């Protein structure tokens, strides 16, 4: 994350860059300088998860109330002194950063292996030094913050660019996170989350101006330095020989700075004393060994340029036009009126992002949105022969009534009156974005708004690019009895793909394919898994997305429930589930599906799941030891619902004492799979032979069209 070696360099070599600050004092000064403006801190939430999650018993996760309390205390500490918080979460992985994403996931796999080795050898939970973020924590955190009334946004690219842009454009007090890229962006001040003392509201501010003073550089030189050192876009080895060349000619080596520290000093010295001499006279490619990596280098430098900013290292800006097949995410700064088109390098014939100024007078095709009456950039995709809106990331203010689902007691957003505030349009990184593959632009826009407002998960990614990812989960790669969650829940995802992408029938030779970058044991992540939709049967027919998302008709509520049950392939259990009170319906859906899919789960596992849901509702240890008779009644009722529904799928849940030799599972079983296989009849596609699903670029389909 961030620039290679810069975090250690700042912490150990240049401590004067770090200054202790007090947020309450900063907020008071901010109000004095900007009367009527609320001091606002932009929070990179993904960097803060480790800070927020403090329970000592972390290996199993689930300390929801303790975690929620920590979030509430965090928010209260800032709001009590008049500071507003804006939380940003990562919304997708950019193609240019996929290799780095894979590298980190494989590294995480090794850490997880060490955790399970420790547990099995020591028979105890690892300490905080081996801490690994519990599965799904980022998703749960979004909704926890919303519950606390906080503005929570999900990015349309990696969050750091949008965080930096938001901080700059909205004159924020600063950015709270833990990523050295925030030292490179020319934006508002950067504060460390790891050094934050919540009681005193003191932390460390890392000053980019002082960093430049130490290195003899200008702030505008920092993107160049970051690329020469290596970051998430530029591989570390790309300029390795160049860095050692700088080091060999560097005459002011510091013994106590270490190798990495001296490399940073040497590269900075080369920029200041050599490259600056020829700046404005030579192109950057004439001064650096770019070779075939020229386009990637330009992309790396441009990735740090926020709206209205230009790099002094881009001497010549070749004229170019927007191509038909590739569309750059564009945004205009209200003050500078700058736009960011793609251009073709006349030498390499590759398209690279270039920042143009107001004198170039380049125009971007615009059209008027019939809803908002505002002009937005459009492009024509020659494949689909239709105009597709290319929306930037605005600050979204929604006014929409919410309907309460009588079946599941869920609030269902009704986007009948969507209002988008576009005073300050969030800028997108100068990166090529895929044109949507969904023809209905209104529905796609609803999905985008849900995504940006952190109200949905993966839906917009599926509809817009048909590519999704799932990071590491705490799974033991040596456990031969339990399949990976990536395989267990794949049939559900396939039915969701069918619902979102539409027009797909089982057995068709062609159709939409979703690329899944899911981490599971044995997957080297060299290629995505290609997964086809799986048709589902909804009583009365599958409703459209317009009905599911926009309709306020009473009948639509029942259709939403039927569709949810169909995704779990539980339509036949609707009657049993209706007898369960609302908050526990979703739990029963999940447990029925899980126990039908995985034969190695036993009755004691079911007891544990249900007991946790019923008992751990803020009760003390003494209260849990003296459960009311009413809790036991509920316990038995829920168990009966799950067991009855599983029997309909020919799955009988038994206790360990009745476990026969074929189902020894985690208690001694080695070998054959116990993940239920789907059939081509009855409840088809309920499961897949997960042990046959190896990694890599293969296609995963319904059993009757399996190709491997």
């Amino acid at each position: 994350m961030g620039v290679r070696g810069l975090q250690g360099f700042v912490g150990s070599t240049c401590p004067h860059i770090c200054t202790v600050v007090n947020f309450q004092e900063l907020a008071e000064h901010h109000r004095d300088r900007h009367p009527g403006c609320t001091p606002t801190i932009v929070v990179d939430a993904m960097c803060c998860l480790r800070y927020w999650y403090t329970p000592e018993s972390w290996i199993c996760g689930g300390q929801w109330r303790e975690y929620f309390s920590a979030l509430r205390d965090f928010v209260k500490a800032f709001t009590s002194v008049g500071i507003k918080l804006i939380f940003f979460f990562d919304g997708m992985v950019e193609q240019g950063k996929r290799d780095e994403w894979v590298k980190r996931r494989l590294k995480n796999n090794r850490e997880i292996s060490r955790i399970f080795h420790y547990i099995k050898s020591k028979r105890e939970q690892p300490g905080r030094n081996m801490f690994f973020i519990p599965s799904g924590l980022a998703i749960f955190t979004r909704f926890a913050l919303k519950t606390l009334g906080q503005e929570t946004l999900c990015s349309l690219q990696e969050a750091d660019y949008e965080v930096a842009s938001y901080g700059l454009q909205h004159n924020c007090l600063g950015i709270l996170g833990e990523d050295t890229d925030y030292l490179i962006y020319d934006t508002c001040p950067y504060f460390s989350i790891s050094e934050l003392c919540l009681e005193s509201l003191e932390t460390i501010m890392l000053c980019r101006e002082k960093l430049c003073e130490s290195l003899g550089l200008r702030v505008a030189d920092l993107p160049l330095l970051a690329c020469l050192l290596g970051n998430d876009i530029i591989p570390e080895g790309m300029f390795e020989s160049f860095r050692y060349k700088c080091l060999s000619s560097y005459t002011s080596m510091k013994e106590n700075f270490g190798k990495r520290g001296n490399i940073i000093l040497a590269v900075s010295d080369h920029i200041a004393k050599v490259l600056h001499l020829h700046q404005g006279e030579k192109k950057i490619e004439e001064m650096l060994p770019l070779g075939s990596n020229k386009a990637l280098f330009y992309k790396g430098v441009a990735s740090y340029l926020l709206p209205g900013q230009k790099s002094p290292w881009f001497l010549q800006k070749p004229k170019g036009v927007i191509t038909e097949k590739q569309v750059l995410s564009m945004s205009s700064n209200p003050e500078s009126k700058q736009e960011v088109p793609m251009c073709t390098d006349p030498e390499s014939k590759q398209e690279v992002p270039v920042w143009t100024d107001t004198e170039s007078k380049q125009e971007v095709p615009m059209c008027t949105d019939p809803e908002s009456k505002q002009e937005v950039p459009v492009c024509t995709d020659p494949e689909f022969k239709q105009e597709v809106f290319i929306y930037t990331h605005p600050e979204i203010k929604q006014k929409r009534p919410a309907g309460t689902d009588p079946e599941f007691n869920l609030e269902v957003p009704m986007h009948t009156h969507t209002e988008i505030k576009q005073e300050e349009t969030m800028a997108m990184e100068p990166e090529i974005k895929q044109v949507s593959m969904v023809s209905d632009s209104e529905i796609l826009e609803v999905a985008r708004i849900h995504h940006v407002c952190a109200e949905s998960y993966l839906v917009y990614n599926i509809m817009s690019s048909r590519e999704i990812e799932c990071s590491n989960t705490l799974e033991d790669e040596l456990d031969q009895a339990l399949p990976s969650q990536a395989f267990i829940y794949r049939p559900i995802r396939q039915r969701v793909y069918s619902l979102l992408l539409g027009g797909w029938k089982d057995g068709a030779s062609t159709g939409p394919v979703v690329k899944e970058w899911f981490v599971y044991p044995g997957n080297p992540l060299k290629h995505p898994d290609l997964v086809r939709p799986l048709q589902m049967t909804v009583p009365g027919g599958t409703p459209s997305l317009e009905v599911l998302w926009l309709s306020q008709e009473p009948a639509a509520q029942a259709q939403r429930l039927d569709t949810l049950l169909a995704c779990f392939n539980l339509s036949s259990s609707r009657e049993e589930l209706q007898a369960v009170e609302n908050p526990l319906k979703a739990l029963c859906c999940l447990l029925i599906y899980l126990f039908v899919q995985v034969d190695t789960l036993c009755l004691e596992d079911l007891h544990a799941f249900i007991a946790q849901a019923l008992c751990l509702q803020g009760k003390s240890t003494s209260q849990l030891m003296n459960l009311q008779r009413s809790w036991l009644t509920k316990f038995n009722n829920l168990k009966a619902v799950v067991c009855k529904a599983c029997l309909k799928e020919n799955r009988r849940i038994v206790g360990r004492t009745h476990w026969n030799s074929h189902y020894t599972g985690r208690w001694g079983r080695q070998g054959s799979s116990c993940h239920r296989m789907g059939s081509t009849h009855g409840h088809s596609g309920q499961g897949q032979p997960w042990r046959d699903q190896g990694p890599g670029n293969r296609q995963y389909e319904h059993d009757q069209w399996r190709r491997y």
Side-chain angles (χ1 to χ4, degrees):
M1 181 180 291
V3 183
R4 303 289 189 272
L6 189 57
Q7 185 71 44
F9 177 81
V10 169
S12 60
T13 308
C14 298
H16 64 281
I17 295 172
C18 306
T19 306
V20 177
V21 294
N22 182 280
F23 279 123
Q24 184 172 3
E25 295 175 0
L26 291 177
E28 292 171 356
H29 294 156
H30 189 274
R31 278 188 286 265
D32 291 340
R33 293 194 304 270
H34 308 283
C37 180
T38 302
T40 302
I41 293 178
V42 195
V43 182
D44 186 337
M46 302 302 291
C47 295
C48 299
L49 295 178
R50 289 177 179 269
Y51 179 88
W52 291 329
Y53 195 89
T54 57
E56 290 299 321
S57 181
W58 57 267
I59 195 68
C60 296
Q63 293 87 350
W64 176 247
R65 288 186 178 274
E66 188 175 347
Y67 182 62
F68 186 79
S69 177
L71 289 176
R72 183 174 55 234
D73 292 343
F74 180 87
V75 170
K76 184 178 179 181
F78 286 92
T79 55
S80 64
V81 296
I83 296 177
K84 180 182 178 181
L85 300 175
I86 304 289
F87 296 88
F88 272 83
F89 288 81
D90 279 330
M92 62 175 58
V93 177
E94 297 171 11
Q95 289 303 317
K97 298 187 177 183
R98 178 64 67 184
D99 289 344
E100 183 63 28
W101 184 89
V102 168
K103 182 180 177 181
R104 291 174 185 168
R105 302 293 82 75
L106 297 178
K107 179 178 180 290
N108 289 345
N109 278 344
R110 294 189 291 270
E111 293 180 12
I112 291 172
S113 295
R114 288 194 291 270
I115 289 172
F116 279 102
H117 175 75
Y118 183 95
I119 293 172
K120 289 184 283 189
S121 61
K122 303 288 187 180
R123 302 288 180 179
E124 63 183 22
Q125 175 171 274
R128 188 76 183 186
N129 61 315
M130 297 183 74
F131 175 74
F132 193 87
I133 295 176
S135 305
L137 189 64
I139 304 301
F140 300 144
T141 304
R142 299 182 192 179
F143 297 104
L145 291 169
K146 284 182 173 294
T147 302
L148 293 168
Q150 298 304 295
E151 188 169 349
T152 307
L153 300 174
C154 189
S155 69
L156 291 170
Q157 59 198 67
E158 287 215 13
D160 56 358
Y161 185 87
E162 294 188 10
V163 167
S165 297
Y166 190 99
L168 177 66
Q169 294 185 342
H170 293 80
N171 193 28
C172 290
L173 185 64
I175 293 168
L176 186 60
E178 204 68 33
D179 188 337
T180 49
D181 277 335
Y182 294 128
L183 267 175
I184 306 301
Y185 289 112
D186 188 4
T187 182
C188 57
Y190 162 43
F191 306 108
S192 168
I193 180 63
S194 64
E195 300 293 334
L196 175 63
C197 176
L198 201 59
E199 291 75 19
S200 64
L201 279 182
E202 290 185 344
T203 189
I204 296 297
M205 180 179 73
L206 294 92
C207 180
R208 62 183 64 87
E209 287 76 18
K210 290 184 178 179
L211 174 64
C212 289
E213 183 181 335
S214 300
L215 300 177
L217 300 177
R218 304 166 300 190
V219 172
D221 297 328
L222 292 178
L224 174 62
L225 174 66
C227 290
L228 293 177
L229 295 177
N231 54 24
D232 290 351
I233 294 178
I234 306 296
E236 189 173 12
M238 182 170 157
F239 289 105
E240 186 172 12
S241 59
F242 170 80
R243 290 194 295 270
Y244 280 103
K245 181 179 179 181
C246 293
L247 187 63
S248 63
S249 60
Y250 185 55
T251 58
S252 304
M253 298 277 284
K254 308 287 193 305
E255 291 185 7
N256 58 332
F257 277 25
K259 182 178 179 182
R260 175 70 71 173
N262 278 298
I263 286 178
I264 293 176
L265 292 175
V267 173
S268 301
D269 186 70
H270 184 83
I271 294 173
K273 295 181 178 177
V274 178
L275 301 188
H276 276 175
L277 290 178
H278 304 287
Q279 189 176 11
E281 300 174 358
K282 294 183 179 180
K283 297 180 181 179
I284 190 68
E285 58 265 29
E286 296 175 2
M287 298 186 281
L288 293 173
L290 301 183
S292 61
N293 296 313
K294 178 181 175 181
L296 182 61
F297 172 79
Y298 271 92
K299 177 182 175 183
V301 174
S303 70
Y304 290 108
L305 301 179
L306 303 179
Q309 296 178 350
K310 293 179 288 186
S311 172
W313 296 101
F314 292 167
L315 173 63
Q316 296 182 358
K317 308 176 183 62
K319 297 179 181 179
V321 296
I322 301 175
T323 63
E324 289 184 325
K325 292 187 178 179
Q326 294 175 310
V327 178
L328 177 69
S329 296
M330 294 170 278
S331 71
S332 299
N333 184 301
E335 296 179 1
S336 68
K337 304 298 181 186
Q338 290 179 316
E339 291 161 351
V340 190
M342 293 297 294
C343 74
T344 303
D345 188 315
E347 296 178 10
S348 66
K349 305 300 182 184
Q350 292 178 300
E351 292 186 333
V352 295
V354 174
W355 294 83
T356 59
D357 53 31
T358 52
E359 297 177 358
S360 66
K361 305 297 182 184
Q362 280 190 305
E363 294 183 353
V364 178
M366 305 291 288
C367 82
T368 303
D369 184 338
E371 297 277 335
S372 64
K373 307 299 183 185
Q374 292 180 312
E375 289 190 328
V376 293
V378 299
C379 75
T380 303
D381 188 321
E383 272 190 34
F384 295 93
K385 305 298 181 185
Q386 62 184 13
E387 288 186 337
V388 181
F389 289 101
I390 306 301
Y391 287 90
T392 53
H393 188 323
E395 180 186 3
I396 295 178
K397 302 294 184 185
Q398 300 182 67
K399 292 182 180 178
R400 51 180 173 78
T404 301
D405 189 330
E407 301 288 348
F408 276 74
N409 196 27
L410 299 175
E411 285 194 342
V412 183
M414 305 298 181
H415 291 266
T416 53
H417 302 288
T418 303
E419 182 179 316
I420 304 177
K421 180 181 178 182
Q422 297 197 5
E423 296 172 359
E424 295 276 356
T425 304
M426 283 298 296
M428 301 300 296
E429 180 187 23
E431 164 138 345
I432 298 169
K433 298 293 181 185
Q434 289 182 299
V435 175
S436 165
M437 301 178 185
V438 177
S439 59
D440 193 333
S441 59
E442 179 187 359
I443 286 298
L444 183 63
E445 175 62 3
V446 172
R448 190 192 69 86
I449 291 174
H450 272 287
H451 175 96
V452 170
C453 295
E455 294 178 353
S456 67
Y457 177 60
L458 297 182
V459 171
Y460 180 70
N461 302 33
I462 294 167
M463 296 177 70
S464 61
S465 65
R466 296 180 189 168
E467 186 167 13
I468 61 173
E469 54 278 324
C470 180
S471 189
N472 307 77
T473 51
L474 281 171
E475 296 179 330
D476 185 2
E477 63 180 357
L478 300 180
D479 190 333
Q480 298 295 308
L482 291 177
S484 170
Q485 60 86 19
F487 297 137
I488 292 175
Y489 298 110
R490 177 171 280 165
I492 297 179
R493 295 196 302 275
Q494 289 178 280
R495 296 185 185 99
V496 172
Y497 299 159
S498 175
L499 187 66
L500 295 177
L501 301 178
W504 174 251
K505 302 295 183 183
D506 285 1
S509 58
T510 60
V513 172
V514 177
K515 297 178 181 179
E516 290 189 348
W517 294 90
F518 275 55
V519 180
Y520 53 83
N523 185 4
L525 295 172
K526 292 182 179 178
H527 307 282
D529 293 335
L530 306 181
V531 182
R532 294 191 184 279
L534 181 62
Q535 189 178 19
M536 61 182 178
T537 303
V538 181
T542 304
S544 66
L545 295 178
E546 287 90 343
V547 170
L548 291 174
W549 293 353
L550 304 177
S551 176
Q552 299 185 66
E553 296 297 324
Q557 302 289 11
Q559 288 179 296
R560 293 181 182 114
L561 172 60
D562 288 335
T563 304
L564 174 64
L565 295 180
C567 287
F568 282 91
N569 205 22
L570 296 178
S571 298
S572 62
S573 300
R574 194 182 200 277
E575 183 179 347
E576 289 84 359
L577 288 167
Q578 277 190 313
V580 180
E581 61 185 280
N582 286 332
L584 298 172
K585 276 189 173 74
L587 170 69
C588 287
C589 280
L590 181 60
L591 290 180
I592 294 167
Y593 179 84
L594 193 59
F595 276 78
V596 168
Q597 287 286 305
V598 186
D599 283 354
T600 49
L601 294 175
C602 66
L603 192 61
E604 285 78 7
D605 293 314
L606 180 59
H607 289 170
F609 282 124
I610 297 177
Q612 177 176 267
L614 292 179
C615 303
L616 306 181
Q617 298 183 6
K619 296 184 179 295
S620 65
T621 304
S622 60
Q623 289 174 315
L624 292 174
M625 291 174 64
N626 299 285
L627 292 177
Q628 303 173 28
R629 189 161 294 278
S630 62
W631 288 118
L632 293 176
T633 302
K634 261 184 188 176
F635 177 93
N636 289 322
N637 288 343
L638 291 181
K639 184 174 77 169
V641 169
V642 175
C643 290
K644 184 177 179 181
C646 286
L647 277 176
K648 289 186 177 182
E649 306 293 333
N650 298 319
R651 166 72 160 101
R652 180 169 174 261
I653 305 175
V654 298
R656 294 186 193 180
T657 55
H658 300 287
W659 208 264
N660 59 38
S661 58
H662 181 67
Y663 293 115
T664 53
R666 286 160 292 171
W667 310 287
R669 176 178 169 278
Q670 297 291 329
S672 65
S673 161
C674 281
H675 179 217
R676 294 177 66 85
M677 299 173 61
S679 65
T680 57
H681 306 286
H683 295 283
S684 61
Q686 182 72 357
Q688 289 184 331
W690 56 272
R691 208 171 293 282
D692 292 336
Q693 297 190 357
N697 186 23
R698 61 174 62 180
Q699 298 194 359
Y700 296 101
E701 306 167 335
H702 183 32
D703 286 333
Q704 63 187 7
W705 356 293
R706 193 177 309 285
R707 295 182 177 176
Y708 56 93

